[in-house]
Amino acid sequence: KAGVTQTPRYLIKTRGQQVTLSCSPISGHRSVSWYQQTPGQGLQFLFEYFSETQRNKGNFPGRFSGRQFSNSRSEMNVSTLELGDSALYLCASSLVGQGGNSPLHFGNGTRLTVT
Amino acid sequence: GQQLNQSPQSMFIQEGEDVSMNCTSSSIFNTWLWYKQDPGEGPVLLIALYKAGELTSNGRLTAQFGITRKDSFLNISASIPSDVGIYFCAGQIAQGGSEKLVFGKGTKLTVNP
């Protein structure tokens, strides 16, 4: 069974640009969660999607947005990039989401560098 | 908001030694998960715990869900060089009618051969 796939693995952008990251969950998983990982802050929750609907949202500005498609694939978008957005962005899928006995399975992340 | 206090922040041990790390909180959690992250990769699930008092093993790894539901520990026995990495605990908590996962800040493990 294929794991969670994130593309691209690496991205370099300049301040003010926008970026879209993609995540394909494990087959059959309907929930996709996104996290930002930085050395100082650890894993910070961005949002969770389930059946194309945003179910939970973390404390990030509106520049961070996401969506989920009918095949459960998800994208997240960051507009007007800032230097502080440089981080590893992790996507995780699960059968039913962050509630219930359904652990998250992570992809290998997209390393975003903003210059 | 809920916070998970994971300790220690880092550990330097000799190959063959046993390792213990834990997560504590003032909040009550419904599930505890332990993940390991290797450099350049995403966290990989090691052990999931669903009931207070539950003790679960996965090879040389053993984890327990604290009886108060506010803590969990992970033990690694007879460490080997490939145990190197960052270990994260995560607790699932009910909030505002839904459940969310809260992560600790990680324990960085270095194993000297």
Side-chain angles (χ1 to χ4, degrees):
Chain A
K1 201 175 192 181
V4 178
T5 303
Q6 290 188 247
T7 56
R9 284 298 306 270
Y10 302 94
L11 263 179
I12 300 176
K13 292 282 189 179
T14 56
R15 273 182 300 177
Q17 286 187 313
Q18 67 118 23
V19 67
T20 299
L21 313 181
S22 179
C23 172
S24 293
I26 292 172
S27 178
H29 284 193
R30 296 169 63 190
S31 166
V32 172
S33 297
W34 288 89
Y35 288 84
Q36 181 194 66
Q37 186 177 29
T38 56
Q41 297 298 317
L43 282 151
Q44 301 288 306
F45 173 66
L46 282 155
F47 25 66
E48 180 197 3
Y49 286 87
F50 182 82
S51 293
E52 302 179 65
T53 301
Q54 189 180 86
R55 190 155 69 173
N56 266 317
K57 191 175 186 304
N59 297 322
F60 278 81
R63 300 185 297 108
F64 292 81
S65 63
R67 59 178 176 167
Q68 187 181 32
F69 302 95
S70 58
N71 61 359
S72 294
R73 192 177 69 84
S74 177
E75 290 181 347
M76 68 163 280
N77 186 79
V78 188
S79 62
T80 320
L81 284 165
E82 301 176 359
L83 294 178
D85 296 333
S86 295
L88 181 67
Y89 289 88
L90 290 163
C91 164
S93 77
S94 69
L95 276 171
V96 296
Q98 297 198 7
N101 295 349
S102 175
L104 301 186
H105 296 269
F106 285 86
N108 283 332
T110 294
R111 171 74 63 187
L112 173 65
T113 302
V114 182
T115 62
Chain B
Q2 297 77 24
Q3 281 196 342
L4 282 183
N5 302 308
Q6 186 171 353
S7 66
Q9 260 189 326
S10 60
M11 301 182 77
F12 298 83
I13 63 169
Q14 293 297 125
E15 183 176 358
E17 289 183 358
D18 296 344
V19 172
S20 186
M21 60 191 78
N22 68 82
C23 277
T24 61
S25 177
S26 57
S27 301
I28 289 175
F29 290 88
N30 299 323
T31 298
W32 284 96
L33 305 171
W34 284 92
Y35 289 86
K36 182 194 177 202
Q37 186 174 26
D38 291 328
E41 299 186 7
V44 173
L45 181 67
L46 297 173
I47 292 179
L49 303 159
Y50 299 110
K51 284 171 53 177
E54 181 180 352
L55 183 71
T56 297
S57 293
N58 178 8
R60 294 177 296 105
L61 278 59
T62 302
Q64 183 157 31
F65 192 144
I67 198 72
T68 65
R69 295 169 61 194
K70 295 181 179 181
D71 61 346
S72 177
F73 72 75
L74 174 71
N75 286 344
I76 305 173
S77 63
S79 59
I80 59 178
S82 63
D83 290 335
V84 164
I86 302 177
Y87 292 79
F88 292 96
C89 63
Q92 184 176 290
I93 191 166
Q95 183 185 52
S98 65
E99 304 238 355
K100 65 180 260 187
L101 209 54
V102 179
F103 281 83
K105 292 205 185 293
T107 294
K108 186 175 182 179
L109 178 64
T110 302
V111 180
N112 296 316

